[in-house]
């Protein structure tokens, strides 16, 4: 994996703060030297010369800070660290663990390593089988089984050494049968650790961890005594295991980052870089699909060489939000001699207050789920556009060192279930291009959502900004003071707390404008014990970048079933009136008005809109109804009295019906033809408590707020009609 780094980059302690609270900025330079940070307000993040352009308000008079930048390391790869191994007397000793590899590693990884000054014992596993090293001073004794390592099978590996005889035995054997592969060596002057050092699982070299394992590990242990063979390779680790000095039962304390020793010395450890727990182990029977009901069946941890939790960088500067700084989108523009970067953030209003009737809910959970999504599309044409538009110049394809997204995979092709915001996020930058969009700007997520912010600014509509993370932490109280809440273009990822807060808000007098598509789709988990981390299990159903393995559908952090909210009894239609039904390439089409649009109860929404069709233009795929489309469905929770005001037509040839809508290749859940479900619908409904919901059913809607060089046109007019009515302005 490439270790190439940016000239300057960084991240913040969190995405948002309030006046009086302090942001902490962690910055790293490729080469240490002078650096500068100044404050800007982000007005527009679209670099398209045919669009609103990159627009910032210079606030360097509020914050302009020079500092000496340093190079701060990034250490990818998860592992377990036991800082206090069992002390033991001289004599034979055995190290062992179970391991399952799903793909042949490029280089051997360290399964178990015990080290102290002048002495280290390491078991390594690679495509050519298990090997081991015992390093004593300047001498390194090596042994290898020479037996090919089988993939997708649980294997017992053990290393035994006896100082009295100088004998070393290394063995590997599949737990489901077959012959063992065993190698034996004699070593003169063999000595062993006395337990005064450290043990690493899935890596070695505690000072600078390396040789990470990508695979599932279970039941690592250290035993007294010598094992020539291992007659029962599937034997389960327990406190009564003969000779047990230390043994780490990964089925215990699954929601935490602790690993517990069930041996007599209580040599507990910690996990680094957030490997994935609640994974089916070597003895999983399939009788229980949830780890909470059969934890011993879930005794494996999936360690990965590319895992990255908190980068752990030191703070280089801080910024206390001034009491008079308006709520909105901001960034620190950081520069050095060799480059520049932006660290975006949001400022909320003072706690318990609203400074405007309108709140924009930034989809920070979605930004984080897609953080550093490497799409493999940063080709020559893409890079030429980046240069010609002076867009954000860096792409995750070229910088794997900053970690990948939950849309990418680990080296063994397993899905990435965790994403951290405590690292540089290249995709969350003003001017970042996701696609080389031939009909528009090719923006998604953070920069795409600045279309809304720039539109609000242009139309003179005051607004506050709040975020998903704040909503998760504070609940409905965060929304209470707002007459209307606007979503972004793709509010896809939500916790139970955020959905509950939005549902309670709309059941009351709250008014929600859902301005995207494929929203409220995946269930995620966040936990106070893992600050800055987001967990996702792509369980049964849905369009998925990868699929969780059977039995691994429940989050480790909260024990809840993951996957689609639709499969958790909360289809998007229940909240927003519409839900995901069709998807294609990043291109769009128009809407056609339906009879309900001319009904006197709803005609105000389309006041000033001429003709029966609109939206066949825009900065996102060239059409207001595009990329991912949502439709109404009473059976899934759309309120009975919902008005379907407009519907998209002529979906591009690339569009497909999403799998959760299909019972077979010809039958749909609704009974309609599959092609008919590739549609976006604009809906409106009132709620019993006096609230209302307006939904557009398309990711590309907000790109069509811009037409012919300005924020104008039918989509802009519809938006303003609804927003001003909802806000009472």
């Amino acid at each position: 994996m490439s270790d190439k780094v940016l000239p300057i980059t960084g991240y913040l302690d969190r995405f948002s703060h309030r006046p009086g609270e302090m942001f902490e900025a962690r910055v790293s330079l490729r080469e240490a030297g002078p650096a500068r940070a100044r404050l800007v307000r982000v007005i527009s993040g679209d670099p398209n010369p045919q669009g609103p352009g990159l627009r910032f308000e210079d606030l360097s008079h509020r914050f302009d800070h020079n500092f000496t930048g340093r190079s701060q390391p990034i250490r990818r790869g998860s592992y377990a660290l036991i800082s206090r191994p069992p002390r033991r007397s001289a004599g034979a000793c055995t190290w062992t663990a179970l391991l399952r590899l799903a793909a042949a590693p490029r280089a051997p990884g360290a399964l178990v390593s015990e080290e102290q000054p002048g002495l280290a014992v390491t078991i390594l596993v690679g495509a050519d089988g298990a090997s081991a090293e015992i390093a004593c001073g300047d001498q390194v004794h090596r042994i290898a089984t020479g037996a090919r390592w089988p993939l997708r099978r649980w294997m017992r590996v053990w290393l035994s050494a006896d100082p009295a005889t100088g004998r070393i035995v290394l063995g590997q054997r599949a737990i489901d049968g077959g012959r063992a592969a065993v190698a034996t060596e004699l070593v003169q002057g063999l000595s062993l650790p006395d337990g005064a050092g450290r043990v690493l699982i899935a890596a070695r070299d505690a000072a600078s961890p390396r040789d990470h394992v990508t695979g599932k590990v279970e039941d690592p242990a250290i035993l007294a005594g010598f094992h020539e063979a291992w007659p029962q390779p599937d034997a389960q680790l327990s406190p009564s295991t003969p000779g047990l000095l230390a043994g780490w039962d990964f089925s215990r304390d699954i929601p935490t980052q602790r690993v517990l020793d069930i041996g007599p010395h209580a040599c507990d450890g910690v996990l680094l870089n957030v490997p994935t727990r609640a994974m089916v182990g070597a003895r999983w029977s399939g009788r229980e699909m949830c780890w909470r009901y059969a934890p011993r069946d879930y005794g494996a941890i999936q360690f990965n060489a590319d895992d990255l939790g908190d980068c752990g960088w030191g703070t280089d500067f801080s910024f206390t939000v001034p009491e008079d700084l308006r709520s909105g989108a901001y960034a620190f523009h950081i520069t050095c001699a060799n480059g520049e970067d932006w660290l975006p953030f949001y400022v909320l209003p003072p706690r318990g207050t609203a400074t405007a009737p309108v709140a924009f809910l930034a989809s920070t959970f979605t930004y984080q789920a897609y953080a550093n999504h490497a799409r493999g599309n940063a080709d020559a044409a893409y890079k030429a556009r980046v240069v010609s538009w002076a867009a954000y110049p860096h792409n995750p394809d070229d910088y794997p060192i900053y970690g990948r997204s939950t849309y990418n995979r680990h080296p063994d092709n397993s899905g990435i279930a965790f994403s951290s915001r405590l690292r540089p996020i290249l995709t969350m930058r003003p001017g970042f291009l996701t696609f080389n969009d031939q009909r528009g700007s090719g923006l998604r997520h953070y920069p795409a959502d600045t279309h809304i912010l720039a539109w609000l600014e242009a139309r003179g509509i005051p607004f506050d900004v709040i975020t998903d993370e704040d909503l998760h932490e504070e609940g409905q109280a965060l929304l209470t003071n707002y007459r209307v809440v606007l979503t972004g273009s793709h509010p896809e990822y939500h916790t139970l707390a955020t959905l509950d807060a939005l549902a309670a808000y709309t059941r009351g007098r709250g008014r929600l404008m859902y301005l995207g598509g494929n929203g409220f789709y995946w269930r995620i988990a966040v936990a106070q014990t893992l600050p800055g981390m987001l967990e996702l299990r792509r369980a049964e159903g849905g369009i998925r970048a990868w699929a969780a393995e059977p039995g691994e559908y429940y989050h480790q952090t909260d024990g809840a079933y993951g996957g689609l909210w639709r499969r958790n009894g909360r289809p998007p239609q229940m909240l927003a009136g519409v839900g995901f039904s069709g998807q294609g390439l990043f291109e769009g089409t128009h809407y056609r008005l339906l009879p309900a649009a001319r009904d006197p109860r709803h005609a105000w929404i389309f006041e000033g809109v001429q003709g029966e069709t609109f939206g066949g233009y825009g900065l996102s795929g060239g059409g207001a109804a595009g990329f991912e489309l949502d439709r109404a469905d009473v059976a899934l929770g759309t309120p009975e009295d919902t008005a379907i005001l407009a519907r998209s037509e002529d979906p591009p040839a690339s569009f497909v019906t999403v799998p959760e809508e299909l019972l077979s290749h010809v039958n749909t859940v609704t009974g309609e033809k599959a092609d008919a479900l590739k549609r976006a619908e604009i809906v409106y409904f009132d709620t019993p408590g006096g609230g209302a919901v307006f939904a557009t059913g398309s990711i590309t809607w907000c790109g069509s707020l811009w037409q012919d060089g300005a924020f104008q046109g039918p989509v802009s007019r519809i938006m303003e009609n609804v927003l001003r009515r909802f806000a009472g302005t």
Side-chain angles (χ1 to χ4, degrees):
M1 292 182 286
S2 171
D3 289 332
K4 185 169 69 170
V5 297
L6 295 177
I8 184 171
T9 191
Y11 61 95
L12 303 175
D13 61 306
R14 61 179 289 142
F15 288 143
S16 61
H17 274 304
R18 286 186 165 87
E21 297 174 351
M22 185 173 68
F23 284 100
E24 295 184 8
R26 292 86 190 247
V27 178
S28 181
L29 278 63
R30 183 188 299 156
E31 299 174 359
R36 178 189 180 193
R38 65 184 181 92
L39 179 66
V40 298
R41 186 167 68 91
V42 179
I43 299 172
S44 171
D46 186 346
N48 186 345
Q50 301 302 313
L54 285 172
R55 292 180 56 206
F56 305 100
E57 179 186 359
D58 180 12
L59 295 176
S60 55
H61 63 285
R62 307 297 299 267
F63 181 80
D64 191 344
H65 178 68
N66 293 297
F67 62 100
T68 300
R70 50 186 165 165
S71 178
Q72 304 205 60
I74 292 181
R75 296 188 175 95
R76 289 173 296 171
S78 56
Y79 60 100
L81 173 65
I82 292 86
S83 58
R84 185 180 60 83
R87 297 300 295 264
R88 53 187 180 270
S89 58
C93 189
T94 298
W95 298 261
T96 185
L98 295 171
L99 173 65
R100 181 185 184 272
L101 298 181
R106 294 181 180 178
L111 177 57
V112 178
S113 177
E114 185 171 0
E115 57 191 46
Q116 62 188 53
L119 193 60
V121 176
T122 306
I123 301 175
L124 298 126
V125 175
D128 296 328
S131 60
E133 296 178 359
I134 299 178
C136 305
D138 295 333
Q139 290 189 319
V140 180
H141 309 288
R142 295 184 173 88
I143 187 172
T145 64
R148 182 186 63 85
W149 187 273
L151 299 179
R152 293 174 292 280
R153 294 179 72 186
W154 279 100
M155 301 287 291
R156 166 74 65 185
V157 185
W158 71 95
L159 171 67
S160 282
D162 185 355
T165 63
R167 295 185 67 211
I168 301 174
V169 167
L170 175 68
Q172 67 183 63
R173 185 180 177 186
I175 70 166
D176 58 358
R179 297 181 59 184
V182 179
T184 303
E185 295 281 351
L186 287 174
V187 174
Q188 297 295 323
L190 177 66
S191 63
L192 294 179
D194 62 4
R198 292 174 286 193
V199 171
L200 274 68
I201 299 163
R204 65 169 161 175
D205 189 355
S208 183
R210 59 189 175 93
D211 298 335
H212 297 274
V213 164
T214 293
K216 289 182 177 180
V217 179
E218 186 170 5
D219 283 359
I222 301 173
L223 310 171
F226 191 82
H227 287 258
E228 187 86 42
W230 211 286
Q232 293 181 297
D234 63 341
Q236 194 167 35
L237 184 68
S238 76
S240 61
T241 298
L244 183 69
L245 295 171
W248 294 276
D249 183 353
F250 293 162
S251 71
R252 302 190 180 202
D253 262 18
I254 283 176
T256 76
Q257 295 299 291
R258 296 184 297 171
V259 291
L260 300 183
D261 175 21
I262 61 174
H265 303 287
C267 301
D268 299 338
V270 296
L271 296 171
L272 285 303
N273 268 336
V274 195
T276 309
R277 306 192 72 168
M279 305 298 274
V280 298
R283 305 168 192 90
W284 183 64
S285 65
R287 286 191 291 269
E288 284 291 349
M289 300 294 284
C290 176
W291 61 266
R292 291 183 288 111
Y293 300 120
R296 199 61 186 93
D297 285 7
Y298 290 83
I301 293 179
Q302 169 82 28
F303 293 95
N304 301 286
D306 61 343
D307 279 333
L308 180 60
D310 186 344
C311 280
W313 291 353
T315 298
D316 291 275
F317 65 88
S318 60
F319 172 70
T320 299
V321 181
E323 297 292 339
D324 63 343
L325 191 66
R326 62 179 278 193
S327 177
Y330 295 86
F332 295 117
H333 181 211
I334 55 175
T335 56
C336 68
N338 298 317
E340 63 182 343
D341 204 355
W342 287 262
L343 310 183
F345 62 91
Y346 298 104
V347 171
L348 276 64
R351 189 176 299 274
T353 68
T355 62
V358 175
F360 170 69
L361 177 60
S363 304
T364 50
F365 284 152
T366 299
Y367 305 160
Q368 187 173 335
Y370 282 88
N372 294 340
H373 183 189
R375 295 174 178 270
N377 66 340
D379 57 14
Y382 170 95
K383 291 182 177 180
R385 171 163 287 190
V386 167
V387 171
S388 67
W389 286 4
Y392 185 73
H394 309 301
N395 190 282
D397 283 6
D398 302 320
Y399 296 94
I401 195 167
Y402 300 117
R404 296 307 199 191
S405 78
T406 63
Y407 284 77
N408 294 122
R409 296 171 182 255
H410 293 298
D412 66 351
N413 208 40
S414 61
I416 295 177
F418 281 96
S419 180
S420 171
R421 60 169 171 73
L422 299 174
R423 55 175 171 144
I425 299 177
L426 311 190
T427 50
M428 191 178 168
R429 297 293 193 255
F432 178 81
L433 303 185
T434 296
F435 299 114
N436 185 10
D437 179 1
Q438 296 308 303
R439 298 180 61 197
S441 305
L443 307 183
R444 294 198 68 195
H445 309 125
Y446 172 82
D449 285 350
T450 67
H451 286 150
I452 303 172
L453 303 182
W455 176 83
L456 289 166
E457 189 98 2
R459 306 311 299 174
I461 300 173
F463 64 96
D464 286 346
V465 176
I466 55 179
T467 78
D468 287 342
E469 188 170 11
D470 299 300
L471 186 59
H472 173 82
E473 293 171 351
E474 300 179 32
Q476 185 189 359
L478 183 63
L479 309 176
T480 300
N481 293 319
Y482 295 105
R483 296 178 187 170
V484 55
V485 171
L486 311 179
T487 76
S489 59
H490 195 197
E492 183 176 8
Y493 291 87
H494 281 270
T495 66
L496 180 61
T498 59
L499 279 195
D500 282 350
L502 287 166
Y505 173 73
T506 58
R507 281 197 303 268
R509 299 185 60 82
R511 295 168 175 85
L512 176 68
M513 294 180 68
Y514 167 36
L515 304 178
N518 185 216
F520 316 107
Y521 192 64
W522 289 108
R523 181 173 190 160
I524 58 167
V526 295
Q528 291 182 340
T529 55
L530 276 176
M533 298 298 297
L534 170 157
E535 183 185 7
L536 167 70
R537 298 291 173 114
R538 296 196 186 275
E540 301 165 281
I543 280 189
R544 295 169 286 173
W546 50 268
E549 293 293 324
E552 296 173 355
Y553 301 150
Y554 287 78
H555 300 138
Q556 72 181 58
T557 45
D558 65 3
Y561 181 72
L564 300 185
W565 274 113
R566 179 170 174 168
R567 286 185 174 268
N568 280 269
R570 299 286 290 270
Q573 286 89 343
M574 293 179 66
L575 172 66
V578 294
F580 193 31
S581 63
Q583 180 185 47
L585 298 178
F586 198 69
E587 51 189 342
T589 183
H590 62 272
Y591 291 87
R592 180 176 293 277
L593 295 181
L594 297 177
R598 300 309 186 193
D599 187 302
R601 293 173 298 175
H602 312 121
W604 58 272
I605 296 173
F606 300 95
E607 183 179 344
V609 176
Q610 304 298 318
E612 297 301 307
T613 63
F614 65 91
Y617 57 87
L619 297 173
S620 295
F627 192 48
E628 293 179 339
L629 309 177
D630 292 7
R631 65 173 184 86
D633 190 334
V634 172
L636 290 174
T638 303
E640 295 273 357
D641 58 352
T642 296
I644 303 177
L645 305 171
R647 181 175 293 139
S648 64
E649 293 184 323
D650 305 327
S654 66
F655 277 56
V656 298
T657 303
V658 298
E660 62 266 30
E661 298 277 31
L662 303 175
L663 294 175
S664 72
H665 68 293
V666 294
N667 296 322
T668 65
V669 176
T670 66
E672 300 177 76
K673 296 290 186 182
D675 284 350
L677 301 184
K678 298 182 291 188
R679 65 180 188 257
E681 291 178 332
I682 298 177
V683 305
Y684 174 92
F685 62 91
D686 294 311
T687 66
V693 174
F694 172 81
T696 64
S698 166
I699 275 185
T700 60
W701 170 269
C702 295
S704 297
L705 293 169
W706 181 270
Q707 185 184 31
D708 298 332
F711 284 113
Q712 62 185 5
V715 171
S716 175
R717 184 60 185 266
I718 292 166
M719 275 274 287
E720 189 163 359
N721 288 344
V722 176
L723 182 55
R724 290 199 182 276
R725 172 72 69 96
F726 278 7
T729 61

